[in-house]
Amino acid sequence: MLTDLESDRVERKESFKGKAPDTVREAVCAFANDLAGHGTPGVVFIGARDDGTPLGLDVSDEFLRQLADIKTDGNIAPPPTLLVEKRHLCGHDLAVITVWPCDTPPARCRGRVHVRWGPRRGLASAQDERILNERRRHRDRPFDVQPVPSASIDDLDRLRFEQEYLPSAVAPDVLMFNERDLGQRLAATKMILSDVEPIPTVLGLLIVGKSPMDWLPGAYTQFLRVAGVDLADPVQDEALIDGTVADQILRLEDKLNAHNVQGVRFGDVARESREAAYPLDALRQLVRNALMHRTYESTHSPVRVYWFDDRIEIHNPGGPFGSVTPENFGRPGVTDYRNPNLAEALRALGYVQRFGAGISIARRLLGERLCFEVQPGFVAAIVRDSR
């Protein structure tokens, strides 16, 4: 593949400098979409000329980690399946990225769908996207893009989709020249099965549904503020927080902020200082992580947030998924996605900045105050009060 002609399965770059990081990401996105339907991986060679001649690149561990970040830096969604490795070919070292076709195309790089036709790469046309959407229907889809046959397209909030989600998920210049109708737009963003079968998906109901709980009974959050350290103690405040996932995030974070009492210190210092019982940024990461990674398929249990006098407990139904186990849970770089398309949508809306970083950020802010109880059926994040 290195020495053969460049094709829709091969990309070569002399280095990873200048515009190369952007073009490599676009190539990875195109290989993930696999417009030609090869069903086999595409390969990016870094350290080779267009004719396949190696240049003798210095391939360090740091460079390989930089390439591996392409999977989780959030620019390509859903995250592609890829392997980054150092290979010795034709007497020289090269960095090689192997990209497998995505099971739920289209994949997008910064809101754009990239495809390859022969050795060229470009943006997908309306027909290209239709092919990718149709192909998605015949593959093993995650639960978050499964259709909900009892729901109809009228159960989706059209205004919210067009004015809130679409401008966030699709690049402005693509929208400007977009001639697709509403059904095609909903299908392209996986909110419905296809424009031919306009059946809402789980993702569509969770992101732009008028009342997600009508179709997904567990799609809500239960908040409880307990005046004590046990569930048997008096309840100070409680709320059932429903709506779309974005609505739940905003309303729950308002609750957390309202109960996060700030201590004021002014008697023995030159300037008054205020310190909250819990860093809100850490709670925000834990709550968003719970809503993004919970299971909506096998339980009607909600996400539970219990605030006691000495701690906060965040219960996430579903437990570890895929490559994440109770033993490696929370380790840097160890991540998997039960709801990859929901993760993509939340990133488009701005609620997720970098995939796989939420728990690491919470650990950095909380230190030993944060611990996890990880079981096959659920994960509980427990945050101790600093006082």
Side-chain angles (χ1 to χ4, degrees), residues 175-315:
L175 277 181
M176 185 178 300
F177 298 102
N178 195 336
E179 298 179 356
R180 299 172 179 86
D181 59 28
L182 176 63
Q184 291 172 331
R185 293 184 178 192
L186 287 168
T189 52
K190 306 174 189 176
M191 300 296 162
I192 61 174
L193 188 59
S194 72
D195 56 334
V196 179
E197 297 179 77
I199 303 172
T201 61
V202 172
L203 176 69
L205 294 170
L206 289 174
I207 295 297
V208 294
K210 295 177 181 177
S211 181
M213 273 186 65
D214 290 349
W215 316 103
L216 303 164
Y220 69 98
T221 303
Q222 182 182 47
F223 176 84
L224 208 62
R225 176 63 174 100
V226 180
V229 296
D230 189 86
L231 280 174
D233 292 326
V235 174
Q236 200 172 63
D237 186 17
E238 70 90 20
L240 186 154
I241 301 173
D242 60 359
T244 66
V245 176
D247 289 339
Q248 292 181 57
I249 288 173
L250 294 175
R251 290 174 57 196
L252 182 55
E253 290 178 0
D254 285 343
K255 277 285 185 186
L256 295 173
N257 192 37
H259 285 279
N260 199 20
V261 178
Q262 290 191 346
V264 182
R265 181 181 178 186
F266 58 89
D268 58 344
V269 292
R271 298 181 65 182
E272 177 185 296
S273 63
R274 297 173 180 266
E275 183 179 357
Y278 300 93
L280 191 60
D281 284 343
L283 298 182
R284 184 180 293 118
Q285 294 294 337
L286 294 172
V287 164
R288 295 180 181 186
N289 189 281
L291 288 166
M292 182 171 70
H293 291 296
R294 64 150 295 171
T295 178
Y296 292 90
E297 179 180 9
S298 57
T299 179
H300 291 169
S301 177
V303 170
R304 292 185 173 92
V305 180
Y306 295 157
W307 189 312
F308 298 94
D309 284 349
D310 63 342
R311 68 192 186 281
I312 298 175
E313 295 183 5
I314 302 171
H315 294 256

